[in-house]
Amino acid sequence: MIRQFGPETGLLLIDVQKGVNVFEHWGGGSTGRRNNPGAEDRMRALLGAWRAGGLPVIYTRHDSREAASPLKLHLPTGAMIEGFEARDGEIIIEKDVNSAFVGTDLELRLRQYGITRLVVAGFFTNFCVETSVRMAGNMGYDTYLAHDACATCNRIGPDGTDYDPQVLHDISVANMHGEFCTALDTRTLLGLVSADAPAFERVQGNE
């Protein structure tokens, strides 16, 4: 059984910024594309439930070190996607590398708020989401991945192979689930805001 989410459970939304949809940058040019077009709607559903339940919300905002990146806070593409504007009392973490924990005060802020469990969603599944989930699991947080509230873009391999974004997403989720986190769909996570989930089990490793 997975017990109900309470005030110890933070929703961590990773890099929900306009620049994630600059597909030509992330996908290697004109063939750039993304999976899971419904990811933002599922993230909004999670955000609404967390706010309605008075549970803690944390956002990361990526301010890339890379010159060509659209994820720079001074650019229009660095702004949050509509519907993800932070409210008073919600935590904003600015980062410049993949992990939400490296070079930030995220761990300190989580300790201050008494947060020991995390539900993670956002962009990109195989980059900043995966890096942050791996660290959260290693640091001992009870970590859940909202796998259908994440998305990524295609990638071009060193031999020129164009890897489909859904394949990359699925492999990334498979890498995380059962080792660094428990991956669940949004519907199940929404249910956990109001009740235990006796039909589901935690499968996080390294414990």
Side-chain angles (χ1 to χ4, degrees):
M1 180 183 76
I2 300 176
R3 60 186 175 86
Q4 179 180 348
F5 295 147
E8 79 294 330
T9 308
L11 175 64
L12 176 58
L13 295 173
I14 303 285
D15 302 352
V16 192
Q17 295 163 259
K18 295 178 179 179
V20 300
N21 288 317
V22 182
F23 303 143
E24 62 271 19
H25 175 79
W26 307 108
S30 60
T31 61
R33 60 200 185 278
R34 191 194 116 173
N35 76 316
N36 197 9
E40 287 92 336
D41 287 340
R42 295 185 185 101
M43 282 184 260
R44 290 187 186 97
L46 290 167
L47 179 57
W50 252 251
R51 286 173 168 171
L55 305 182
V57 175
I58 310 105
Y59 307 85
T60 68
R61 300 173 63 208
H62 195 77
D63 194 15
S64 180
R65 302 176 182 182
E66 299 175 10
S69 176
L71 293 182
K72 289 182 175 292
L73 297 184
H74 72 275
L75 298 176
T77 49
M80 300 298 282
I81 292 172
E82 287 76 10
F84 295 97
E85 298 82 7
R87 294 182 178 178
D88 289 345
E90 296 177 342
I91 301 169
I92 300 173
I93 300 295
E94 295 184 358
K95 64 183 183 66
D96 61 4
V97 293
N98 304 101
S99 174
F101 291 93
V102 172
T104 76
D105 64 350
L106 176 58
E107 183 182 10
L108 175 62
R109 303 289 291 278
L110 296 179
R111 292 182 184 277
Q112 288 174 336
Y113 278 75
I115 297 169
T116 58
R117 308 172 82 192
L118 289 172
V119 173
V120 185
F123 301 96
F124 291 113
T125 317
N126 54 328
F127 289 170
C128 296
V129 171
E130 183 167 351
T131 308
S132 299
V133 165
R134 284 172 177 264
M135 284 200 69
N138 282 172
M139 294 170 72
Y141 291 97
D142 183 15
T143 308
Y144 300 85
L145 174 69
H147 63 79
D148 60 348
C150 301
T152 194
C153 287
N154 64 303
R155 296 291 291 173
I156 308 300
D159 62 353
T161 301
D162 187 331
Y163 291 96
D164 185 75
Q166 189 62 49
V167 171
L168 296 174
H169 172 93
D170 291 344
I171 291 172
S172 184
V173 172
N175 284 336
M176 290 182 274
H177 178 67
E179 184 68 14
F180 303 98
C181 71
T182 303
L184 298 170
D185 62 23
T186 296
R187 181 177 179 180
T188 302
L189 293 165
L190 290 172
L192 277 159
V193 174
S194 56
D196 295 338
F200 294 88
E201 295 292 335
R202 292 179 67 252
V203 293
Q204 186 170 326
N206 295 312
E207 295 182 327

